[in-house]
């Protein structure tokens, strides 16, 4: 399963390039959060990244420096750009093909689909038949938001033209229901034997990354889905201070630049300095390599989600909690083969009392140090409510009516004996009669701001 992120080359400090230590620190953070795959969007990264990915154990999709975005349909069809598109793909393969971390070649990003892409794919297969070819542009009008429509365009056998440019089904941002429906259809009909690998599926901008665990659950539950890549890994802000000397990360519009894309480059799972955002913690849990589920009889089923390794490198640490305080704990050493499950039923020494709330926590820790984490690093965890507290129903609260009116700007807000608003007056004039309903306003989100270049700065 590819649990991945899209990664640019980054500059952690203004005016300075990334060192080998900087890149290694990024990859270590990824590994510690159960990320095992990288797409080098939208160009080949520093070769140091590939050296370290070989060493630490990542899957990498290497992407050619072909990005057209707003002009993607024109560039793809124009013969002037044919040689450039093909050469950028073949040059990438010539530079990077000896790295074992690379599992596939991407022809670029948002660059349409034209004859040059078919030629680049053919060249890639000729130069390196051992790896698959990835290209989202070949499937964009069938799958990707906002072009594709399910099920009319998604549940159909791929054309020869589509297959010519991509060996995997790699759309951008399709809904979970669509990819699940496609996976079930592909398994049932056999009309598409390619795996589905989302080149982008969760945009980490603002208070974002909703449905992460649901996406990852679909990855593991459907054999036809191979995983996906979050957009993207790291915020691209510049260190600045305001007129009061306060530090902040600057982005479009902070430099008097118009037009600008506002915070459109602040869309990573970590900050510009590599500090993890909360969504990364959720991603770590969603992608945990071992899961635990509980049935009504308190039988715990442990599942090893790994494709190749057993759990002999992990210790299972369990703890019994009463009202959040650990009462019992223990360590087990179950060895579960890759893809297999094991049922256990803990025998607790403590008797549960009726007045307390009881939980079981399960954590999986590394037995020994690895190149990316120390001994005792927690790679997976789950928690279960074993018994809820039995509490007496509270006595009804008797409230004293609030009769005193509230005054503001000449208006008087009156309350009834049950504390509901009974009216608004201006002197002897009744301005508003009951019932009065609240009118609530939420803070705007990034998606309220319009297209890049027109986003207001809030």
């Amino acid at each position: 399963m590819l649990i991945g992120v899209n990664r640019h080359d980054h500059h952690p400090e203004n005016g300075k390039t990334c060192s080998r230590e900087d890149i290694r620190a990024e990859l270590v953070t990824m590994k510690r959060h159960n990320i095992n795959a990288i797409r080098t969007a939208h160009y080949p990264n520093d070769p140091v990244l590939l050296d370290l990915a070989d060493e630490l154990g990542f899957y990498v999709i290497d992407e050619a420096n072909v990005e057209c975005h707003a002009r993607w349909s024109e560039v793809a069809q124009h013969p002037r750009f044919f040689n450039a598109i093909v050469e950028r793909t073949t040059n990438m393969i010539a530079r990077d093909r000896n790295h074992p971390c690379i599992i596939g070649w991407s022809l670029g990003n948002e660059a349409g689909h034209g004859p040059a892409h078919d030629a680049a794919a053919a060249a890639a297969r000729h130069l390196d038949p051992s790896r698959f070819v990835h290209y989202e542009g070949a499937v964009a009008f069938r799958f990707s938001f906002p072009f594709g429509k399910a099920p009319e365009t998604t549940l159909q056998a791929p054309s020869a033209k589509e297959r010519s440019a991509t060996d995997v089904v790699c759309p951008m941002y399709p809904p979970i229901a669509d990819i699940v429906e496609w996976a079930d259809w592909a398994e049932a009909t056999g009309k598409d034997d390619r795996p589905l690998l989302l080149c982008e599926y969760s945009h980490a901008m603002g208070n974002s990354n909703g449905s992460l665990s649901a996406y990852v659950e679909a990855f593991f539950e459907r054999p036809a889905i191979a995983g996906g890549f979050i957009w993207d890994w790291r915020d691209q802000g510049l260190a600045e201070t305001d007129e009061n000397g306060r530090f902040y990360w600057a982005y479009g519009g902070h430099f008097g630049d118009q037009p600008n894309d506002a915070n459109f480059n602040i869309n990573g799972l970590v900050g510009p300095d590599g500090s993890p955002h909360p969504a990364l913690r959720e991603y770590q849990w969603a992608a945990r390599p071992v899961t635990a589920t509980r049935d009504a009889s308190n039988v715990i089923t442990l599942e090893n989600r790994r494709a190749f390794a057993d759990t002999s490198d992990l210790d299972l640490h369990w703890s019994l909690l009463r009202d959040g305080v650990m009462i019992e704990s223990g360590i087990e050493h179950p060895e579960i083969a890759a893809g297999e499950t094991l049922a256990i039923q803990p025998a607790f020494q403590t008797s549960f009392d009726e007045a307390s709330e009881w939980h079981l926590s399960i954590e999986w820790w590394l037995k020994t140090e690895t190149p990316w984490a120390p001994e005792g690093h927690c790679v997976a965890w789950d928690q279960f409510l074993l018994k809820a507290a039995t509490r007496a129903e509270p006595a009804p609260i008797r409230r004293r009516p609030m009769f005193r009116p509230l005054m503001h700007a000449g208006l008087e807000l009156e309350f009834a004996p049950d504390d509901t608003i009974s009216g608004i007056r201006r002197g002897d004039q009744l301005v508003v009669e009951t019932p009065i309903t609240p009118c609530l306003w939420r803070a705007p989100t990034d998606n309220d701001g319009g297209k890049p270049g027109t986003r207001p700065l809030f």
Side-chain angles (χ1 to χ4, degrees):
M1 185 60 58
L2 274 67
I3 304 297
V5 292
N6 294 284
R7 183 195 179 276
H8 297 277
D9 280 326
H10 302 288
H11 303 276
E13 297 181 48
N14 298 2
K16 295 183 179 180
T17 58
C18 283
S19 67
R20 185 182 185 90
E21 291 71 25
D22 293 329
I23 298 174
R24 185 185 182 90
E26 286 193 63
L27 298 185
V28 165
T29 301
M30 291 181 193
K31 288 287 285 187
R32 291 183 180 183
H33 288 85
N34 293 328
I35 292 170
N36 67 7
I38 299 167
R39 170 177 168 239
T40 67
H42 299 306
Y43 42 78
N45 281 193
D46 189 323
V48 170
L49 173 94
L50 302 178
D51 292 338
L52 293 170
D54 292 339
E55 175 188 333
L56 296 173
F58 280 91
Y59 299 112
V60 176
I61 294 181
D62 209 5
E63 187 154 285
N65 184 18
V66 180
E67 161 70 74
C68 306
H69 212 66
R71 303 298 180 195
W72 60 277
S73 58
E74 302 165 43
V75 172
Q77 301 298 329
H78 202 297
R80 176 180 296 175
F81 300 101
F82 185 97
N83 288 339
I85 290 173
V86 175
E87 286 176 1
R88 290 185 180 205
T89 301
T90 56
N91 288 346
M92 170 183 66
I93 295 171
R95 190 194 78 163
D96 295 342
R97 60 185 165 189
N98 289 328
H99 285 280
C101 64
I102 295 175
I103 59 171
W105 306 110
S106 172
L107 306 182
N109 177 74
E110 295 182 3
H113 182 195
H117 297 103
D118 298 336
R125 295 185 181 109
H126 173 73
L127 292 171
D128 181 17
S130 68
R131 295 176 171 103
F132 63 79
V133 173
H134 164 291
Y135 188 54
E136 181 268 341
V139 303
F141 281 96
R142 287 217 298 126
F143 287 88
S144 297
F145 173 84
F147 308 115
K149 296 179 180 178
E152 303 97 281
T153 61
T154 56
L155 304 187
Q156 57 181 253
S159 65
K161 180 174 176 59
E162 179 181 314
R163 281 185 175 271
S164 70
T166 185
D167 298 321
V168 293
V169 182
C170 46
M172 287 186 179
Y173 305 106
I176 298 170
D178 291 2
I179 64 172
V180 168
E181 184 179 35
W182 178 88
D184 292 342
W185 167 84
E187 288 285 336
T189 66
K191 292 185 177 180
D192 198 344
D193 58 352
R194 302 170 300 169
L196 188 145
L197 180 61
L198 301 180
C199 72
E200 297 175 25
Y201 73 94
S202 182
H203 199 277
M205 184 174 177
N207 185 19
S208 185
N209 296 118
S211 305
L212 260 182
S213 59
Y215 267 109
V216 176
E217 184 178 351
F219 297 168
F220 282 104
E221 286 186 349
R222 296 305 196 278
I225 303 178
F229 298 87
I230 289 179
W231 187 267
D232 61 11
W233 171 242
R234 188 166 178 167
D235 292 342
Q236 289 140 68
L238 300 177
E240 297 287 348
T241 54
D242 65 14
E243 62 276 8
N244 297 314
R246 292 176 299 188
F247 176 86
Y248 69 99
W249 293 112
Y251 47 78
H254 283 138
F255 309 95
D257 50 315
Q258 292 293 336
N260 62 77
D261 279 353
N263 62 331
F264 201 72
N265 278 349
I266 306 296
N267 53 12
L269 289 171
V270 300
D273 59 352
S275 301
H277 294 324
L280 184 57
R281 176 70 169 173
E282 180 185 355
Y283 199 31
Q284 180 187 11
W285 178 82
R288 62 203 187 282
V290 191
T291 64
T293 55
R294 166 185 171 266
D295 66 16
S297 302
N298 281 339
V299 174
I300 308 297
T301 299
L302 308 173
E303 179 183 1
N304 181 7
R305 284 170 152 181
R306 293 164 159 178
F308 308 110
D310 62 23
T311 59
S312 59
D313 61 324
L314 304 174
D315 285 329
L316 186 157
H317 291 248
W318 62 266
S319 55
L320 180 65
L321 308 176
R322 181 176 64 195
D323 294 335
V325 178
M326 187 174 68
I327 303 300
E328 273 189 59
S329 64
I331 302 176
E332 306 291 340
H333 311 282
E335 291 195 12
I336 310 170
E340 297 299 322
T341 62
L342 176 68
I344 63 174
Q345 190 164 21
F348 304 119
Q349 302 299 315
T350 306
S351 299
F352 297 173
D353 63 78
E354 296 295 321
S356 301
E357 186 174 73
W358 295 84
H359 285 87
L360 172 65
S361 288
I362 291 176
E363 296 183 350
W364 295 85
W365 297 6
L366 289 175
K367 284 184 179 179
T368 59
E369 180 183 13
T370 71
W372 49 269
E375 176 186 350
H377 170 70
C378 180
V379 301
W381 69 95
D382 285 286
Q383 187 180 81
F384 308 101
L385 175 64
L386 300 179
K387 185 183 179 303
T390 303
R391 305 187 190 277
E393 289 294 326
I397 299 175
R398 300 187 64 183
R399 303 182 63 180
R400 183 177 67 181
M402 184 170 66
F403 294 104
R404 187 176 66 181
L406 297 178
M407 305 290 296
H408 179 71
L411 295 176
E412 181 179 290
L413 186 65
E414 294 183 333
F415 291 88
D418 61 355
D419 288 354
T420 59
I421 299 173
S422 60
I424 300 176
R425 292 181 177 275
R426 179 180 286 113
D428 294 333
Q429 179 185 4
L430 184 64
V431 179
V432 179
E433 294 185 72
T434 55
I436 296 175
T437 57
C439 180
L440 305 178
W441 179 85
R442 66 162 173 81
T445 67
D446 291 299
N447 288 335
D448 295 320
K451 297 180 179 179
T454 63
R455 241 181 230 96
L457 294 175
F458 297 111

